[in-house]
Amino acid sequence: MNTFQQLGHNALTAFQRLGRAHLFLFAVLAGAPSLLPRLRLLIQQLFSVGVLSLVIIVVAGLFVGMVLGLQGYNTLVDFGAEESLGVMVALSLVRELGPVVAALLFAGRAGSALTAEIGLMKATEQLSGMEMMAVDPLKRVVAPRFVAGVLSMPLLAAIFSAVGVMGGYFVGVGLLGVDEGAFWSQMQSRVDFDEDIMNGVIKSIVFGVVVTWIAVFEGYDAVPTSAGVSRATTRTVVYASLAVLGLDFVLTALMFGEV
Amino acid sequence: MQNTRLVETLVGIFVAAGLAALFMLAMKVSNLNAFSDVEGYEVKAQFENIGGLKVLSAVSIGGVRIGRVSSIDFDQEDYEAVVTMMIDPKYNRLPTDTSASIFTSGLLGEQYIGLEPGGEEAFLKDGDNISLTQSAMVMEQIIGQFLFSKASEGAEAE
């Protein structure tokens, strides 16, 4: 009987957390317009969420693009179709790898930092202190971080894809001797702006919302001890990565699955 | 104060870099700049079989792309495929007896419409029909014919 009780208790706790997370999201969204007169807060967060993630995104994008160029060339050259290398690199980056890998890196680089920061603020009772001074921590602390994350993600994904295409270009055209004109012209004739690039941007916006939401919620909802904050940080990375990969399948099925 | 200015500048650079990347993807990687909102004049042609031709396939003359396929329909009276092509208006001196054939680029590549200019004095206008057409070559039919002729050769030899 005790096992059943435990099971039910766990399920109810999970549902309660899920509900709290959604109510929290609505509260943050409702607090977002109050950012407008205080843009400085947003810029500060754009710096720590977006600019500081830039290095890892650029380096990762470059290497992912270079590896795609190498592997794609090895496969395509057997069919005498190495001119299609540009198409392959660009489509895989713009549709899938750009948004997904950028979101995974973003969860690891910026999401964990957001959770740890907000969790520590809670553990050291800075959030309660703000409430005592009649400052709403949702508006002052959480909303700028959330909006900054949502704004940064599409930009980071676009940078990732662009740098990756350049990486594929360096390897394909520079090292392996694919014809430069064919590389770009085939890419331009096959990659569609609405169909491929805009869908990639929509994906990255969705990922930005989900990753940042999980990060700020886990921080805000952390058990206010050092162990609790560390658990919350781990949960952010795990949940955000799983959510990104799962949502990617759903979004891909909706956008590209013409079955 | 110096510090906030640095932060603001770096954020500005970040946003600008993101937008520049998006712009590069749009212009350099995708086909946004080429024939995306096609302006031009329409020419129709009927084919018995269009093979793997698709909307947006290229229409070229002498290897130069001058337009794209804008729609494909099926005529239920003649039982033929009707292909509408959108031709770039700067190429407005195509004779009325121009012929259209469906070719494949490379052995397994995409299919496109190749135009062959004729000798008439009058030029094609918006809404005109190309009457001289040649259907796509369907690989299975060619292989079938080849096998058939080989088999009949063998029978004659015996």
Side-chain angles (χ1 to χ4, degrees):
Chain A
M1 197 57 204
N2 228 348
T3 343
F4 282 114
Q5 257 179 358
Q6 190 63 39
L7 212 63
H9 176 71
N10 286 350
L12 283 182
T13 317
F15 279 124
Q16 194 194 351
R17 248 179 93 77
L18 192 66
R20 202 158 61 226
H22 282 84
L23 293 176
F24 173 81
L25 178 66
F26 291 133
V28 171
L29 288 179
S34 69
L35 270 179
L36 278 178
R38 287 179 284 176
L39 275 180
R40 180 142 297 179
L41 284 178
L42 180 63
I43 289 177
Q44 193 69 43
Q45 289 310 318
L46 270 176
F47 177 76
S48 60
V49 168
V51 176
L52 294 183
S53 308
L54 210 50
V55 176
I56 186 174
I57 291 286
V58 167
V59 174
L62 191 65
F63 280 109
V64 166
M66 284 162 70
V67 165
L68 275 179
L70 266 181
Q71 294 287 14
Y73 182 82
N74 281 337
T75 311
L76 291 173
V77 78
D78 289 345
F79 302 101
E82 64 268 27
E83 272 80 23
S84 305
L85 187 67
V87 185
M88 201 209 91
V89 170
L91 278 186
S92 21
L93 277 168
V94 168
R95 283 183 173 183
E96 289 295 333
L97 291 174
V100 172
V101 178
L104 293 179
L105 293 172
F106 184 75
R109 169 66 187 74
S112 57
L114 285 178
T115 308
E117 194 184 9
I118 298 178
L120 261 173
M121 281 185 175
K122 190 179 179 190
T124 53
E125 302 193 335
Q126 293 180 45
L127 295 185
S128 349
M130 280 182 191
E131 276 172 8
M132 297 287 281
M133 296 187 292
V135 176
D136 186 354
L138 281 182
K139 285 182 186 165
R140 179 69 177 69
V141 174
V142 176
R145 284 167 175 75
F146 181 77
V147 175
V150 174
L151 289 181
S152 304
M153 193 58 239
L155 298 176
L156 289 172
I159 292 174
F160 187 98
S161 300
V163 172
V165 169
M166 292 315 290
Y169 168 78
F170 290 141
V171 168
V173 177
L175 289 179
L176 300 169
V178 175
D179 180 55
E180 183 176 355
F183 185 88
W184 290 115
S185 71
Q186 289 240 1
M187 193 190 297
Q188 284 168 8
S189 70
R190 298 276 187 83
V191 181
D192 189 67
F193 183 73
D194 293 335
E195 193 85 336
D196 298 316
I197 293 184
M198 283 326 281
N199 277 347
V201 170
I202 292 171
K203 268 188 181 178
S204 63
I205 293 174
V206 173
F207 295 161
V209 171
V210 170
V211 170
T212 329
W213 174 25
I214 291 177
V216 290
F217 176 70
E218 288 292 351
Y220 197 77
D221 201 49
V223 179
T225 59
S226 39
V229 173
S230 97
R231 266 206 307 277
T233 312
T234 313
R235 272 206 304 263
T236 294
V237 177
V238 173
Y239 289 167
S241 307
L242 291 180
V244 164
L245 294 171
L247 269 177
D248 180 50
F249 173 74
V250 175
L251 288 176
T252 307
L254 283 179
M255 288 167 175
F256 301 110
E258 293 161 359
V259 189
Chain B
M1 211 55 220
Q2 193 64 38
N3 198 19
T4 45
R5 174 177 277 177
L6 182 68
V7 165
E8 283 168 359
T9 316
L10 286 174
V11 170
I13 292 173
F14 165 62
V15 174
L19 294 179
L22 204 60
F23 185 73
M24 176 226 163
L25 289 177
M27 301 316 283
K28 190 91 181 164
V29 175
S30 83
N31 55 356
L32 190 65
N33 48 350
F35 288 107
S36 53
D37 42 340
V38 226
E39 295 236 338
Y41 62 98
E42 279 189 340
V43 176
K44 284 187 185 344
Q46 295 205 341
F47 294 93
E48 255 173 53
N49 189 336
I50 58 165
L53 198 74
K54 293 186 208 61
V55 172
L56 282 187
S57 291
V59 177
S60 60
I61 185 161
V64 180
R65 195 179 78 199
I66 60 166
R68 284 188 181 279
V69 172
S70 61
S71 73
I72 295 176
D73 260 322
F74 186 70
D75 184 345
Q76 295 214 26
E77 274 162 26
D78 302 341
Y79 299 111
E80 284 193 327
V82 181
V83 175
T84 311
M85 295 166 261
M86 191 67 92
I87 312 266
D88 191 324
K90 73 179 170 193
Y91 303 107
N92 54 0
R93 292 169 56 83
L94 302 175
T96 46
D97 59 345
T98 296
S99 66
S101 332
I102 298 180
F103 295 123
T104 310
S105 55
L107 195 56
L108 300 167
E110 292 229 330
Q111 295 198 297
Y112 66 97
I113 295 186
L115 298 182
E116 191 73 34
E120 282 283 338
E121 300 283 316
F123 299 124
L124 283 172
K125 309 183 300 292
D126 190 41
D128 277 0
N129 255 312
I130 293 181
S131 45
L132 294 168
T133 62
Q134 191 191 345
S135 288
M137 297 226 267
V138 179
M139 198 60 96
E140 288 87 337
Q141 286 179 359
I142 298 170
I143 294 174
Q145 281 169 6
F146 177 74
L147 288 179
F148 187 73
S149 67
K150 273 288 168 200
S152 58
E153 265 176 37
E156 276 169 25
E158 277 180 25

